[in-house]
Amino acid sequence: MAIRRVVSIEIGLSRTKVCETDYKKNNPKIYKSIVFDTPEHMIEDGYIRDKIGFAEVLRVELKRAGITCQNLLFSVASNRIISREVTIPMAKDIMIPKIIEAEKSEYFPMDISEYEVAYTILERLADTSQLRIMVYAVPMNLIKNYLNLSLEMKCKIVSVDFVGNSIFQWLKIHAKEEPVSLYLQMNEQNSLITIMEKKALSLQRMLNIGTDIMTNAVLEKRSKESMNAYDANQMLEHDSYIKTHFEGRDFYDMEDLSEHELARKQEICEAVTDSLRPFAANVARVIEFYTAKSKTMHITTIQMLGHGVKFKGLDILLGNELGVQVIPVTELTGAVFTKAAETAAASGQELISCLGASIQTIQYIRPVFETDKKDENGMRSMFILLAAVVAAAGLLVFLSVKGYTDEVKRGTKLEQQIAESQYIVDIFNENTLLANAKQEVADMDAANTSMTDNLMEIIAELENKLPSGTVIHSLSSTETALMLNVSCGSKAETEKLLLQMQEIPYFASVQVSGIAETEDDYGMVTVSFTLTCNYPVTDASADTGTDAGTEEGTVNE
């Protein structure tokens, strides 16, 4: 039976958003909705730590909201989900999974056996007959995590979507058609930057920084008090503890305070504001990268979404420091709230991930959520089996004749298809000749090319591939290798960096040495190490030996 409605769920670090809505409709109707506090320590990087406990909490909240639909859909934010944008020749939708299946080892040069591969179509390029698609590698144990939650709920799971795709699906339909728009969704543990050009996705980056940096700053200053994360969030949402600039002493709402209260609030304001420096720097870096890449497009406004919208003064600080207007989005256009859900309309933007997932989730290249249907009525199964035995004698004769006829027709059809597909052989032969010619030219070019000639292209690849939190302190290049002194914000980001470095075609291998982990006064962890990126060995590089010159440069982030 076709699915008409789903319960779309986004489980955040401190808040869980749920809505019962239409499935695969561009303008979904919200029938019922609820937002409740996520139990403490329940979610970690997208994984539910206590599925039985959370299932009980979710069951109670759904009952309280009057939600009875049994089809569950999840929008998940996790650094374990790997994404990569690729371009493939224009093809029918039914052929796209087969193309991705054939090329997935090229898209993700790692052991892909523990991942499910999925995709979403970003744009159809009619002028070049190509498709821009985003390919995802989703850990199987992450999918299993949500499958088991659905089993605990005794519900059917429809899909597990990536929050980046959820946001894109909503903006693709409902965002204003402007030359360029930047949307900044600041969640509890992470933030998502999405840049759209006339409703087409141009750039999307996930930052491992969220509103919890401000929450933790408050808790650290109030450590002697019995305050939890919920209380800290309430403080930040109802009173301004964020300065208008990083430098200076301009504060909000300081009137009618005693000298002691004023000093105490200023101390918290300084701590909360300083905690936002890495976040603002990362957003500025993404904007600079996009501006350098597009050259003709410039970001003039930022539409702010997510939990960060509720924090007073955050939009003003970011606007002043980034030099662009930051507009908090509180209402959601494009969705229809029924009378039972109209109270959620005022803060509807919190549901954007849930609604985007309901429009179109990422499409897995193999069936992940389909299960074999079991016969629920044992007597009916026995009756069918008995009827089949009685009719078997007559069916054997009929099927033997029919089977022969069908095979003859099938053979004729296959021969016709082979004849119709003969042009593919010609294309293959022509492609082989072109590939051989291209290889000959490449061999001639390699014999006369130094790898240091490609240094600018290598730097451009590094800017494109490296995660946003990575800092390159220095680099040096010889004829045989490129050496980088690098620092990252975490070991997980270091692992992602190594995967990205292996995708750069200029390197034959990448080696790591000198790993050191430090922690600053703000609790920010920095992993420092040296990367040795070896160039492919060619005849030209072999002839130069160890006398090759060195080009050096320094990058300060």
Side-chain angles (χ1 to χ4, degrees):
M1 184 180 293
I3 298 175
R4 297 182 180 274
R5 294 188 189 181
V6 292
V7 178
S8 192
I9 305 171
E10 181 188 9
I11 307 171
L13 180 67
S14 61
R15 293 164 67 82
T16 297
K17 281 83 76 175
V18 182
C19 67
E20 181 180 355
T21 183
D22 293 322
Y23 185 53
K24 291 191 174 182
K25 287 189 177 181
N26 291 344
N27 296 285
K29 183 179 293 185
I30 301 173
Y31 298 96
K32 292 172 185 175
S33 173
I34 188 171
V35 178
F36 61 89
D37 295 332
T38 305
E40 209 169 351
H41 308 302
M42 182 61 70
I43 195 85
E44 182 177 359
D45 197 16
Y47 288 80
I48 304 169
R49 302 178 67 179
D50 180 7
K51 291 176 286 296
I52 297 176
F54 187 76
E56 183 59 32
V57 172
L58 183 59
R59 190 180 294 111
V60 171
E61 295 293 342
L62 292 180
K63 183 178 180 180
R64 182 163 65 90
I67 298 175
T68 58
C69 178
Q70 300 291 301
N71 301 315
L72 304 186
L73 174 63
F74 297 94
S75 181
V76 179
S78 173
N79 291 313
R80 298 288 302 278
I81 299 176
I82 305 170
S83 63
R84 181 180 179 186
E85 182 181 329
V86 299
T87 303
I88 65 172
M90 189 72 74
K92 294 181 179 180
D93 289 354
I94 196 172
M95 294 301 298
I96 296 176
K98 298 179 182 179
I99 295 173
I100 296 174
E101 175 67 34
E103 299 292 334
K104 65 182 181 182
S105 59
E106 296 293 329
Y107 301 154
F108 304 105
M110 59 185 188
D111 183 8
I112 202 72
S113 60
E114 296 299 320
Y115 291 80
E116 293 289 352
V117 178
Y119 72 96
T120 190
I121 299 175
L122 300 180
E123 189 177 8
R124 299 179 187 271
L125 306 173
D127 53 339
T128 59
S129 296
Q130 291 181 313
L131 287 174
R132 283 181 61 223
I133 62 175
M134 189 71 76
V135 187
Y136 303 90
V138 185
M140 291 181 178
N141 57 7
L142 178 62
I143 295 174
K144 186 177 180 181
N145 188 258
Y146 286 88
L147 280 168
N148 290 337
L149 173 63
S150 300
L151 289 175
E152 289 292 336
M153 294 289 297
K154 295 181 174 58
C155 294
K156 175 184 177 181
I157 185 169
V158 177
S159 187
V160 173
D161 194 27
F162 176 56
V163 68
N165 175 70
S166 302
I167 296 293
F168 165 65
Q169 295 296 338
W170 183 263
L171 295 178
K172 180 176 67 173
I173 298 171
H174 298 287
K176 295 181 180 179
E177 189 166 351
E178 298 178 349
V180 59
S181 303
L182 188 150
Y183 295 87
L184 173 60
Q185 185 188 43
M186 193 174 188
N187 303 311
E188 294 98 330
Q189 282 186 310
N190 51 60
S191 298
L192 184 70
I193 299 176
T194 304
I195 300 178
M196 305 285 289
E197 291 182 4
K198 295 182 178 179
K199 297 198 173 185
L201 180 65
S202 177
L203 182 69
Q204 194 171 65
R205 290 287 184 272
M206 178 76 79
L207 306 181
N208 297 325
I209 304 175
T211 58
D212 58 349
I213 58 173
M214 294 179 281
T215 305
N216 292 335
V218 173
L219 292 175
E220 184 177 343
K221 291 298 178 182
R222 294 287 188 92
S223 59
K224 296 181 179 180
E225 304 176 21
S226 57
M227 175 176 285
N228 55 28
Y230 175 80
D231 298 328
N233 283 334
Q234 291 296 304
M235 280 182 55
L236 293 167
E237 291 176 13
H238 292 90
D239 196 3
S240 178
Y241 286 86
I242 301 174
K243 295 163 52 180
T244 60
H245 297 81
F246 284 130
E247 306 301 335
R249 297 183 60 80
D250 46 343
F251 301 93
Y252 280 116
D253 303 335
M254 292 297 182
E255 297 83 0
D256 303 326
L257 294 178
S258 66
E259 185 175 346
H260 173 72
E261 291 172 335
L262 178 63
R264 187 182 186 188
K265 185 170 183 178
Q266 287 180 345
E267 182 183 12
I268 297 175
C269 286
E270 291 284 359
V272 172
T273 304
D274 283 343
S275 72
L276 287 164
R277 289 180 184 270
F279 176 72
N282 276 278
V283 175
R285 187 182 307 169
V286 174
I287 293 175
E288 290 171 4
F289 173 77
Y290 170 77
T291 303
K293 176 184 174 184
S294 64
K295 297 182 180 178
T296 59
M297 297 291 187
H298 299 281
I299 304 295
T300 57
T301 59
I302 295 176
Q303 307 283 333
M304 176 173 280
L305 306 165
H307 191 211
V309 170
K310 296 189 174 185
F311 285 44
K312 293 187 67 174
L314 177 60
D315 56 323
I316 298 175
L317 172 67
L318 292 178
N320 291 334
E321 294 297 330
L322 298 175
V324 298
Q325 183 183 12
V326 178
I327 304 173
V329 178
T330 56
E331 296 184 359
L332 188 64
T333 59
V336 179
F337 290 84
T338 63
K339 188 174 182 179
E342 60 185 5
T343 56
S347 58
Q349 63 87 17
E350 286 191 288
L351 303 174
I352 188 171
S353 298
C354 297
L355 295 174
S358 73
I359 294 173
Q360 179 63 70
T361 67
I362 56 177
Q363 301 176 65
Y364 293 84
I365 64 174
R366 72 184 192 93
V368 177
F369 303 102
E370 295 180 4
T371 57
D372 294 333
K373 294 183 178 179
K374 297 182 179 180
D375 193 345
E376 298 178 354
N377 192 325
M379 293 300 294
R380 182 182 177 188
S381 297
M382 291 298 296
F383 176 81
I384 293 174
L385 179 61
L386 180 61
V389 171
V390 172
L395 284 174
L396 284 175
V397 176
F398 172 78
L399 291 176
S400 61
V401 176
K402 186 178 184 299
Y404 174 79
T405 304
D406 290 345
E407 288 300 317
V408 171
K409 290 180 179 179
R410 182 170 175 270
T412 303
K413 185 177 181 180
L414 289 174
E415 290 176 356
Q416 182 180 356
Q417 290 177 347
I418 292 172
E420 292 175 351
S421 303
Q422 185 60 38
Y423 73 94
I424 297 176
V425 178
D426 298 333
I427 294 174
F428 175 81
N429 292 335
E430 181 179 354
N431 182 67
T432 301
L433 291 174
L434 291 174
N436 292 337
K438 182 179 179 181
Q439 185 61 45
E440 291 176 4
V441 172
D443 293 340
M444 293 174 62
D445 183 70
N448 296 278
T449 301
S450 167
M451 285 304 295
T452 56
D453 295 339
N454 299 322
L455 187 57
M456 295 307 295
E457 288 82 359
I458 292 175
I459 292 175
E461 281 287 328
L462 290 173
E463 291 178 345
N464 187 38
K465 296 289 186 182
L466 296 189
S468 59
T470 301
V471 178
I472 300 177
H473 300 282
S474 65
L475 63 82
S476 61
S477 176
T478 68
E479 288 293 335
T480 59
L482 177 71
M483 281 69 74
L484 304 169
N485 290 324
V486 185
S487 64
C488 294
S490 65
K491 290 185 177 180
E493 188 172 340
T494 302
E495 294 174 359
K496 184 180 291 187
L497 166 63
L498 295 178
L499 289 175
Q500 296 289 70
M501 293 291 289
Q502 292 172 3
E503 294 183 18
I504 298 179
Y506 297 99
F507 303 148
S509 62
V510 179
Q511 299 173 333
V512 185
S513 61
I515 299 177
E517 184 173 342
T518 60
E519 182 174 346
D520 62 13
D521 296 336
Y522 297 103
M524 299 294 291
V525 176
T526 302
V527 181
S528 302
F529 51 93
T530 299
L531 289 178
T532 302
C533 309
N534 299 303
Y535 298 134
V537 178
T538 64
D539 293 339
S541 62
D543 292 340
T544 58
T546 58
D547 296 330
T550 302
E551 297 185 18
E552 296 188 355
T554 301
V555 179
N556 294 318
E557 297 285 342

